[in-house]
Amino acid sequence: MSEQTTQSQRRVVVVGAGMAGVQTAVALREQGFTGTVTLIGAEPHQPYDRPPLSKAVLLGKAEGSAFDVDFEALGIELRLGREALGVRPGEHELDTGAGPVPYDVLVLATGAEPIMLPGTEGVPGVHLLRTLDDAERLRPVLARQHDIVVVGAGWIGAEFATAAREAGCAVTVVEAADRPLAGALPAEVATRMAGWYADAGAVLRTHARVARIEPGAVVLDDHTRVPAGAVVVGIGARPATAWLTGSGIELGAHREVVADVHLRTSAPDVYAVGDCASFPSGRYGERLLVHHWDNALQGPRTVAANIIGEATGEPSAVYDPVPYFWSEQFGRFVQYAGHHTSADTTLWRGDPAGPAWSVCWLRENRLIALLAVGRPRDLAQGRRLIEAGTVMDPRLLADPAKPLKAATA
């Protein structure tokens, strides 16, 4: 049997119709895969992109954010409105609500799901923001200009608060930690962002734990009552992997699928990509779990190359990206590249009280991470310098007038 015949008979099933799943299916076709590709999604909607949900879709500036992909022309079979229930790796079968689906190669791309605030399930007026349906439910809430309480001052909380202020709502953000973005950025950086809320006319309350939510109010653990026509919970997300229980596929400390450097899982012929999977980073010397759009865009190319490579005998591709994400909040464009936790030096470029500044993290004078606020050129150049592992001159790097690429040692 020829290599081409073998490949054309292979069945790849992708579970999850978000960015990671769609991009895996598309990358397989772009890289020349000739077998069958089936994309299974739990939601009934055409596959769509999530970032616009907290912006254009929420504010009624766009009806949706469907991917501009001609699935039929690419020969990708869509099976939507089908929930994945389990995997039987020994039988090479995926169990769904509509019955079992056989596969030769399975790709797990089920993403992450928002964490519910305990005791709020089914409480009227309490919202999450992850799906298109969530955004559609929230759109009239913003249009009525309710008093809105946002629980959690992370990335999604800040983006939603921005949209709610733009819609004319009164917004209070309550955060249990002592600063916004406590889980994402060091205190010295995150505290510089706290003033952005007041600048935009929103109230930020830190050290504020929610005791309970009642009709019309959020009650904090100090018994303070915050008026709330609606509550939006943004306290984080966890990998959507509960359905894999009992499959034998290894899960990590955060219940994410444990993938290797090639994005293969512990089960034969099963890959994992995007928000639901962690991978070991040679660049950073630790396992990374990246809940950001760019990871869901880049990882699928590695998965597709490795699926095709299995049939052609090509060496396996390694996934070791420089993580990247961006956020638009309170009139600012915030970008981040890299992973800063192992840095031994932090350098500022520009005045963090001003509209445009950057933070650089170095390890042994090599740039390993960068946060840019209103300085997209710093980000673009910094990302390339991180990828190259270039040795920097800290004195030149701290000069905001000097381009990053000119601050090498």
Side-chain angles (χ1 to χ4, degrees):
M1 189 181 292
S2 74
E3 169 196 301
Q4 195 62 37
T5 307
T6 306
Q7 192 193 118
S8 66
Q9 292 178 344
R10 291 171 84 207
R11 299 162 299 180
V12 176
V13 174
V14 182
V15 191
M19 171 62 85
V22 167
Q23 289 298 326
T24 299
V26 170
L28 282 163
R29 292 300 189 221
E30 286 179 346
Q31 295 181 30
F33 181 75
T34 55
T36 62
V37 178
T38 303
L39 183 63
I40 294 177
E43 293 181 57
H45 309 291
Q46 277 291 113
Y48 61 88
D49 202 6
R50 293 193 191 280
L53 297 184
S54 61
K55 306 175 185 75
V57 176
L58 193 59
L59 291 170
K61 296 176 181 176
E63 285 306 308
S65 55
F67 290 111
D68 185 17
V69 175
D70 190 334
F71 293 100
E72 190 176 349
L74 289 171
I76 296 168
E77 181 191 3
L78 287 182
R79 297 189 190 179
L80 303 175
R82 297 196 181 191
E83 192 173 357
L85 303 177
V87 182
R88 287 172 286 124
E91 287 79 44
H92 276 59
E93 282 195 331
L94 169 76
D95 290 319
T96 76
V101 179
Y103 66 84
D104 294 308
V105 180
L106 180 67
V107 181
L108 308 177
T110 46
E113 55 198 5
I115 296 170
M116 282 293 295
L117 197 62
T120 61
E121 200 138 3
V123 175
V126 178
H127 300 263
L128 297 169
L129 179 54
R130 178 179 182 265
T131 68
L132 184 58
D133 290 340
D134 292 338
E136 294 291 356
R137 279 190 289 268
L138 274 165
R139 199 192 292 188
V141 173
L142 295 193
R144 287 195 293 270
Q145 297 188 338
H146 277 297
D147 285 354
I148 291 179
V149 174
V150 180
V151 182
W155 299 112
I156 193 70
E159 290 185 1
F160 179 80
T162 300
R165 284 298 300 136
E166 194 174 323
C169 300
V171 178
T172 301
V173 180
V174 295
E175 168 58 54
D178 63 349
R179 61 187 187 275
L181 296 167
L185 294 172
E188 62 180 319
V189 179
T191 50
R192 305 287 186 162
M193 300 169 162
W196 296 357
Y197 288 78
D199 291 348
V203 175
L204 172 65
R205 298 184 64 149
T206 55
H207 300 286
R209 291 187 176 277
V210 175
R212 65 186 182 278
I213 296 176
E214 299 176 347
V218 172
V219 183
L220 304 179
D221 62 359
D222 65 357
H223 306 298
T224 304
R225 295 171 62 83
V226 184
V231 179
V232 176
V233 178
I235 56 174
R238 61 167 64 95
T241 58
W243 66 282
L244 291 170
T245 302
S247 68
I249 294 171
E250 183 186 354
L251 301 181
H254 301 282
R255 304 294 294 165
E256 85 283 9
V257 181
V258 174
D260 67 10
V261 294
H262 310 295
L263 297 181
R264 295 189 182 103
T265 73
S266 63
D269 304 314
V270 180
Y271 290 81
V273 66
D275 289 7
C276 72
S278 65
F279 56 90
S281 169
R283 186 189 310 276
Y284 291 106
E286 61 181 286
R287 180 166 285 277
L288 299 182
L289 175 60
V290 181
H291 282 186
H292 291 297
W293 186 90
D294 192 66
N295 179 50
L297 176 68
Q298 305 294 342
R301 296 167 189 163
T302 300
V303 171
N306 288 333
I307 290 172
I308 293 167
E310 286 171 7
T312 61
E314 294 291 318
S316 294
V318 170
Y319 188 59
D320 195 7
V322 172
Y324 166 73
F325 70 89
W326 81 97
S327 176
E328 294 177 71
Q329 50 185 269
F330 308 119
R332 293 165 174 84
F333 186 43
V334 183
Q335 296 170 285
Y336 178 96
H339 184 63
H340 65 264
T341 54
S342 63
D344 54 37
T345 304
T346 304
L347 287 175
W348 295 78
R349 286 168 58 81
D351 178 4
W357 48 275
S358 297
V359 184
C360 299
W361 287 275
L362 305 176
R363 186 178 63 221
E364 296 173 355
N365 284 345
R366 295 179 196 275
L367 190 64
I368 61 167
L370 180 136
L371 174 82
V373 177
R375 290 181 67 101
R377 187 174 296 175
D378 274 8
L379 191 288
Q381 293 180 9
R383 194 176 181 183
R384 288 193 288 270
L385 292 165
I386 295 168
E387 284 171 350
T390 307
V391 176
M392 309 299 294
D393 181 329
R395 183 179 53 83
L396 297 176
L397 193 61
D399 181 354
K402 193 168 289 295
L404 272 177
K405 63 183 180 184
T408 56

